[in-house]
Amino acid sequence: MTLRLASAGESHGPGLVAILTGLPAGLTLDRDAIDADLRRRQEGYGRSPRQRIEQDRVEVLAGLRHGRTLGTPLALVVWNRDHDNWKWGMSPWPPEGDPVGKGTKPVTLPRPGHADLAGVLKYGHADVRDALERASARHTAVHVAAGSVAKALLATIGIAVSGGTVDEPGLQARIDEARADRDTVGGIVEIRATGVPPGLGTYAAKEDRLDGRLAAAVMGIQAVKGVEIGDGFALARLRGSQAHDEIGPDRRRSTNRAGGLEAGMSNGEEIVVRAAMKPLPTLMKPLASVDLVTGEPGEALVERSDVAAVEALAVVAEAAVAWELAVSARDKFGGDATVDFVAAHQAYLARIAWR
Ligand code: EPS
């Protein structure tokens, strides 16, 4: 059964939705663990005042009974509390009554670096808001909830995934300075996965390569401009004799420059993925833009936003890596019930004599 995820939701719409199909039955989920991940995503230095409005919690509408999956589609919702302030502006149906609250006036000045310009051109929107609402990183909340479910599945076969920022001295000072300058900053995050057996993913088909899936999943997160696996870009400057991880008599490696991935497959070592986040494009000191209605030069849209969301990215990328590992683990070990999935994993480890 292929593990799949579909999500929907606008930043200031009523809520964020995810439907997960292909989960085995009998997987125990912990609501507190999912909500703890949602909280982690909201924290971090430099976040928008929006995070004081939202208190993200997961709600389950289908696929779970008494904390155990049923093997049926799992439907998750995270409500947008801020929608109360945008009820007219983001009403799914034609709004009734006079315009009130936020989002009532069309946005016509696209922000460089955001979805705004290409989004309105592509979809034929007159109001930039029709593009920016879905492009916003707000919907990463429900992807974090899905990643939390993936982590629960991976835990049954001993895989753990964790993410953090790559230590940068004075990160808080950098954020404070940027805020004072009405500017934004980016940063780098690193995700590690332990307990991954050799042979998740495959070289047999390009779209099933685990390195490609991980890179696509992490690159697909808002504001990510670079992804590397293991020593990534630095490997390009080394000789082959320095770049590869020699194989010991126990088939393990004493170095891990490959970041746990060779030829599109996990090789049994820790998986290491890093992502570079660009500085966020909503600036309080706006860049040059053009008014899409008048054609006159102007300054880009200014609206409440984060100065930095690097710590949030670490949680979102952790969820993305967990999700892709879970997809590859489901491809490899299958099973309609979680016990079948776990048994297939154990049988595989026994066959390859891997501990
Ligand atoms: C975002 C813009 C800001 C962020 C938002 C992502 O939205 P707002 O203008 O409502 O403050 O706060 O992130 C979240 C709401 C979140 O929960 O992560 C953007 O343009 O990507």
Side-chain angles (χ1 to χ4, degrees), residues 292-308:
L292 297 174
V293 175
T294 65
E296 294 295 318
E299 289 185 336
L301 167 71
V302 175
E303 67 174 20
R304 177 189 64 188
S305 191
D306 312 77
V307 179

Side-chain angles (χ1 to χ4, degrees), residues 35 44 62-63 65 69 88 99 129 132 135 186 192 202 239 257 290 307-308 315:
D35 286 344
R65 181 160 186 247
T69 56
W88 194 98
R129 183 156 304 284
L132 73 84
R192 289 176 175 263
T202 174
R239 287 186 165 192
R257 299 179 189 109
V290 62
V307 179
V315 181

Side-chain angles (χ1 to χ4, degrees), residues 211-228 233 273-278 313 316-317 320-321 324:
D211 52 0
R213 285 181 175 181
L214 290 171
V218 174
M219 185 64 97
I221 301 168
Q222 287 80 352
V224 171
K225 281 303 222 184
V227 179
E228 67 176 1
F233 279 80
V273 182
R274 271 185 290 274
M277 183 182 216
K278 69 182 181 184
L313 174 64
V316 175
V321 167
E324 292 307 323

Side-chain angles (χ1 to χ4, degrees), residues 11-12 41 47-48 50-51 56 82 111 114 135-138 140 282 303-306:
S11 180
H12 305 99
R41 193 199 71 90
R47 294 287 267 148
S48 151
R50 171 81 183 268
Q51 300 311 325
D56 295 340
D82 198 22
R111 291 160 296 174
H114 218 295
S136 161
R138 169 67 190 154
T140 59
T282 308
E303 67 174 20
R304 177 189 64 188
S305 191
D306 312 77

Side-chain angles (χ1 to χ4, degrees), residues 1-280:
M1 190 49 146
T2 306
L3 187 57
R4 291 202 175 91
L5 163 64
S7 77
E10 277 75 41
S11 180
H12 305 99
L16 312 164
V17 179
I19 296 185
L20 285 54
T21 54
L23 285 167
L27 175 68
T28 300
L29 298 183
D30 176 354
R31 182 198 278 182
D32 291 343
I34 301 174
D35 286 344
D37 278 340
L38 290 174
R39 224 170 11 259
R40 283 171 63 219
R41 193 199 71 90
Q42 288 199 266
E43 291 166 358
Y45 204 69
R47 294 287 267 148
S48 151
R50 171 81 183 268
Q51 300 311 325
R52 293 199 284 273
I53 301 172
E54 304 299 343
Q55 288 165 25
D56 295 340
R57 302 257 191 287
V58 73
E59 216 169 287
V60 178
L61 296 191
L64 198 69
R65 181 160 186 247
H66 302 171
R68 281 159 61 88
T69 56
L70 296 171
T72 55
L74 182 72
L76 309 178
V77 179
V78 176
W79 298 110
N80 288 326
R81 288 168 62 119
D82 198 22
H83 180 64
D84 282 350
N85 303 312
W86 296 73
K87 276 219 160 78
W88 194 98
M90 287 301 294
S91 169
W93 297 107
E96 290 171 4
D98 292 335
V100 59
K102 296 188 174 181
T104 55
K105 293 202 183 79
V107 177
T108 59
L109 286 152
R111 291 160 296 174
H114 218 295
D116 305 358
L117 180 57
V120 290
L121 296 176
K122 176 177 168 69
Y123 289 100
H125 294 313
D127 182 350
V128 168
R129 183 156 304 284
D130 287 338
L132 73 84
E133 281 286 331
R134 177 62 180 163
S136 161
R138 169 67 190 154
H139 80 254
T140 59
V142 81
H143 285 258
V144 165
S148 215
V149 171
K151 286 194 289 181
L153 179 67
L154 293 171
T156 67
I157 56 170
I159 297 176
V161 187
S162 63
T165 57
V166 172
D167 278 340
E168 205 168 337
L171 182 60
Q172 290 202 354
R174 232 177 115 232
I175 294 172
D176 288 339
E177 280 164 27
R179 191 196 308 276
D181 293 342
R182 295 154 65 227
D183 219 323
T184 58
V185 291
I188 297 173
V189 301
E190 182 176 275
I191 315 304
R192 289 176 175 263
T194 57
V196 183
L200 293 194
T202 174
Y203 50 80
K206 189 166 70 73
E207 63 276 16
D208 296 331
R209 291 179 66 103
L210 182 54
D211 52 0
R213 285 181 175 181
L214 290 171
V218 174
M219 185 64 97
I221 301 168
Q222 287 80 352
V224 171
K225 281 303 222 184
V227 179
E228 67 176 1
I229 288 175
D231 287 357
F233 279 80
L235 292 174
R237 303 278 177 247
L238 300 178
R239 287 186 165 192
S241 57
Q242 302 166 311
H244 298 289
D245 306 306
E246 291 187 293
I247 302 171
D250 60 353
R251 299 178 290 164
R252 303 304 293 246
R253 322 296 177 97
S254 55
T255 57
N256 187 21
R257 299 179 189 109
L261 287 150
E262 290 169 315
M265 295 174 294
S266 56
N267 66 6
E269 303 305 321
E270 193 172 28
I271 288 185
V272 184
V273 182
R274 271 185 290 274
M277 183 182 216
K278 69 182 181 184
L280 301 177

